[in-house]
Amino acid sequence: MTASTNNTHRVGVHVSISGGHDKGVRQAVGLGCEVAQVFTKNNMQWFAPPLADSAVDAYRRAREESGLSMVFGHAGYLINLAATKPENLEKSRESLLRELVRSDQLELPFLILHPGAHLGEGEEAGLRLILESLDWVFERHEGRTRIAMEVTAGQGTCLGARIEHLATLLNGCPCPERLAVCLDTCHLFAAGFDLRTRADIDRFIDGFSKLIPWDQVVCVHLNDSKGALGSRLDRHELLGEGKIGWDCFREIVNHPAFAEIPLCLETPKGKDNINDRNTLAKLKEARGEPAP
Ligand SMILES: [Zn+2]
Ligand SMILES: [Zn+2]
């Protein structure tokens, strides 16, 4: 089976890699994806060895046959580049480095990463430590996969809920060409950025672009939010069933600023991924549909 790929506003979902990355790609196609997101390894473990050649070959074959226009990665949840305990900081850096090795094996254009949590040390100190960690990683990694810093909901001491944080990282990194940005509608909304109407979305893009060039945005996660605007709650909901509402997503799949950016669901999948299937179909139908 081959993915039918639209030229713009390509949509997809995060797929499981249990059973191999090749299986993940096939599943993505079966669900109706045009793009797909994968973990490079079990996301709740620190380390995994590089992929075996046979696994890479199987993936490459599946990837070629799939017709997917892009497959990209999301890094594990344990990594905290601003960890205060030396042991955790070391593990975080090493873990990210090894994930980049796997990302290169899979030829992923970018690996999405939550910037980190300062754990009480303060925003400035946290951002400085993240920059040091990025330095550490890039000194040891020669591959091509970029790191896409994801905007966060700002839960706890998580950094990345303000565009200024992301701008500090992009501007402070000695190799900015190796960094990029991933947006997430749930995280943005929870962090206080309203996106419910076309005017809200335009206002957000305007404000963002004053700090970071829009072409640094390489991915957008489409998630509705269980939490209210500014709630700082990172709880994803099915599109149209949360506090953001369907209008936002219809606007995004018709908005020229998002035409070239892969759009990826991270919402509850339901039995046999029924929700993914249905939401992708609904998004495809909404493309080319003007606002009422
Ligand atoms: Zn994420
Ligand atoms: Zn996300």
Side-chain angles (χ1 to χ4, degrees):
M1 192 169 5
T2 304
S4 62
T5 293
N6 207 49
N7 287 328
T8 67
H9 302 96
R10 292 155 301 170
V11 293
V13 304
H14 179 97
V15 286
S16 163
I17 54 156
S18 65
H21 287 87
D22 54 326
K23 209 173 147 200
V25 162
R26 285 198 192 92
Q27 187 188 46
V29 175
L31 294 173
C33 293
E34 296 157 336
V35 298
Q37 174 175 289
V38 293
F39 289 126
T40 71
K41 59 162 196 32
N42 181 327
N43 68 314
M44 294 308 285
Q45 279 173 7
W46 281 106
F47 303 116
L51 290 157
D53 288 346
S54 56
V56 175
D57 287 346
Y59 167 75
R60 286 209 182 125
R61 268 197 307 276
R63 173 80 180 75
E64 266 164 41
E65 284 164 19
S66 73
L68 290 171
S69 82
M70 197 191 284
V71 180
F72 43 88
H74 193 301
Y77 293 147
L78 298 175
I79 297 173
N80 179 8
L81 295 186
T84 47
K85 280 194 188 145
E87 181 194 331
N88 284 349
L89 186 62
E90 201 180 305
K91 269 196 201 160
S92 291
R93 291 171 172 180
E94 187 66 37
S95 179
L96 179 58
L97 181 59
R98 294 203 205 172
E99 286 221 35
L100 285 171
V101 171
R102 282 187 158 227
S103 301
D104 284 326
Q105 288 184 290
L106 298 169
E107 297 173 337
L108 308 179
F110 53 85
L111 179 69
I112 296 161
L113 175 73
H114 300 177
H118 66 71
L119 305 173
E121 292 297 305
E123 296 190 352
E124 210 179 309
L127 290 167
R128 216 167 28 234
L129 192 48
I130 294 170
L131 280 169
E132 277 176 36
S133 296
L134 288 172
D135 244 8
W136 187 97
V137 169
F138 288 143
E139 265 174 22
R140 288 161 180 80
H141 177 253
E142 302 265 293
R144 302 172 64 146
T145 302
R146 292 163 84 187
I147 295 177
M149 290 289 179
E150 183 172 358
V151 70
T152 66
Q155 253 181 333
T157 65
C158 286
L159 296 158
R162 297 180 56 201
I163 307 308
E164 285 84 350
H165 292 170
L166 302 175
T168 298
L169 296 176
L170 264 68
N171 295 333
C173 182
C175 7
E177 72 285 355
R178 301 179 75 173
L179 289 182
V181 173
C182 172
L183 300 177
D184 180 308
T185 53
C186 169
H187 298 175
L188 284 171
F189 190 73
F193 298 99
D194 203 349
L195 303 165
R196 285 176 285 196
T197 66
R198 170 69 187 240
D200 294 328
I201 294 168
D202 286 338
R203 200 172 309 116
F204 168 75
I205 295 172
D206 265 6
F208 181 97
S209 305
K210 288 196 174 84
L211 296 168
I212 298 175
W214 185 250
D215 64 8
Q216 292 282 58
V217 179
V218 292
C219 182
V220 177
H221 290 157
L222 298 183
N223 301 310
D224 209 327
S225 170
K226 279 195 204 293
L229 179 66
S231 63
R232 299 202 153 226
L233 198 64
D234 181 3
R235 297 279 301 283
H236 300 182
E237 180 56 286
L238 295 177
L239 307 195
E241 296 188 17
K243 296 285 195 291
I244 302 178
W246 176 251
D247 284 0
C248 164
F249 304 104
R250 190 198 53 230
E251 291 298 342
I252 287 178
V253 296
N254 285 288
H255 195 300
F258 298 93
E260 303 301 330
I261 304 173
L263 306 168
C264 180
L265 300 173
E266 295 176 317
T267 48
K269 292 176 169 294
K271 193 172 184 297
D272 299 327
N273 303 307
I274 184 75
N275 296 336
D276 280 352
R277 250 178 248 281
N278 290 345
T279 309
L280 285 174
K282 200 171 163 196
L283 284 168
K284 289 178 181 177
E285 209 178 285
R287 287 189 299 217
E289 194 180 87

